[in-house]
Amino acid sequence: MSKTHTSDLPYDEALPKLQLALVRLQQHAMAAGEKVLVIFEGRDAAGKDGTIHRITEHMSVRATRVVALSKPSDIERTQWYFQRYTPYLPSGGQFVIFNRSWYNRAGVERVMGFSTPEEQEDFLREVPLFEEMLVGAGVRLVKLWLDVSKSEQAERLAERKSEPLKVLKSSPLDEFAQPRWDDYTAARDEMLRRTDTAVAPWTCVKADHKKSARLAVMRHLVRTLAPPEIADDVAPPDPEVLFRFEIAALTDGRLCR
């Protein structure tokens, strides 16, 4: 494989090189029986769907799953909160992507009142322990927060209404994304602060520019999950686009407010 240490390549040239690196990563993971779990979180219209599509476009259909659960059923509401997610965790050789995850409890459920403050507090206390157990059981866990500015989000939400091919991306909750922007910001800040751990850290992505964000995420996955003979062929992500979460990012302008 030719070197991908060409982060200045145009998007259309960089994308297939990184997709090939992801295919090589998956070949290794399948052969080694690795269990890979990638969590995508972010504000509405942050570009999660498009990024996931580019990642999985050439990956194995049998060994790759994208999980995007609908709202819980009446029965699921009576279960242990994490129970509805555990059937979708990866087995050996599988690459699973959660397009939103158990972190719904710290985000939309908090802002929209879909769970109680006590349930939300229980979640924030328990999720680091749950993720520590996953990692201890051999799951290779990557958590990504895609961040987008208020003005960019407004433009993308408007496009969902006006462009017929994007209509299926719309959700009734889109109507609350802008009016409750500050509430979502507060929820994000507490979630990142309390659930970022050494075992399961958060990686943040500035996603106002979709193509730059996609390439940065793909580079991060290869560099984080692949063995050196694959990872070393891929340039690190742009630190102006993708960075390891730290408390200072909540106030120094790296995360949108």
Side-chain angles (χ1 to χ4, degrees), residues 13 29 84 92 102 124 146 149 154 162 211 220 233 238 248 254:
E13 293 182 35
R84 70 190 299 249
W102 42 77
L124 290 170
L146 273 59
S149 66
S162 61
K211 292 182 177 180
H220 176 67
D233 280 339
D238 183 346
R254 280 180 286 172

Side-chain angles (χ1 to χ4, degrees), residues 75-198:
I75 292 176
E76 287 172 331
R77 290 190 185 95
T78 70
Q79 297 172 345
W80 176 52
Y81 179 69
F82 296 101
Q83 187 170 340
R84 70 190 299 249
Y85 295 97
T86 56
Y88 302 96
L89 294 174
S91 301
Q94 292 184 336
F95 196 111
V96 174
I97 296 176
F98 278 9
N99 186 351
R100 296 197 182 277
S101 66
W102 42 77
Y103 283 102
N104 278 337
R105 176 135 295 179
V108 66
E109 288 193 18
R110 167 176 164 164
V111 172
M112 300 301 297
F114 295 156
S115 56
T116 68
E118 292 77 17
E119 289 172 328
Q120 295 153 25
E121 179 61 29
D122 287 345
F123 170 79
L124 290 170
R125 185 180 66 253
E126 293 171 0
V127 70
L129 301 174
F130 177 67
E131 291 175 350
E132 184 177 356
M133 286 191 292
L134 293 182
V135 174
V139 174
R140 304 199 66 190
L141 176 61
V142 177
K143 300 192 304 189
L144 297 162
W145 172 266
L146 273 59
D147 209 51
V148 67
S149 66
K150 189 174 184 179
S151 59
E152 180 66 19
Q153 183 191 63
E155 290 184 18
R156 294 181 186 181
L157 292 175
E159 286 178 0
R160 289 181 178 182
K161 293 181 178 180
S162 61
E163 296 188 20
L165 290 178
K166 294 186 178 182
V167 68
L168 292 178
K169 291 186 175 184
S170 295
S171 160
L173 295 177
D174 288 351
E175 299 299 324
F176 300 95
Q178 290 272 296
R180 300 192 180 180
W181 175 272
D182 290 342
D183 294 333
Y184 275 109
T185 298
R188 175 204 66 191
D189 290 358
E190 184 171 12
M191 181 194 77
L192 293 175
R193 179 174 57 83
R194 295 186 59 182
T195 65
D196 177 77
T197 66

Side-chain angles (χ1 to χ4, degrees), residues 14 21 28 66 86 90 92-93 117 136-137 206 231:
H28 165 79
V66 177
T86 56
K206 295 183 177 181

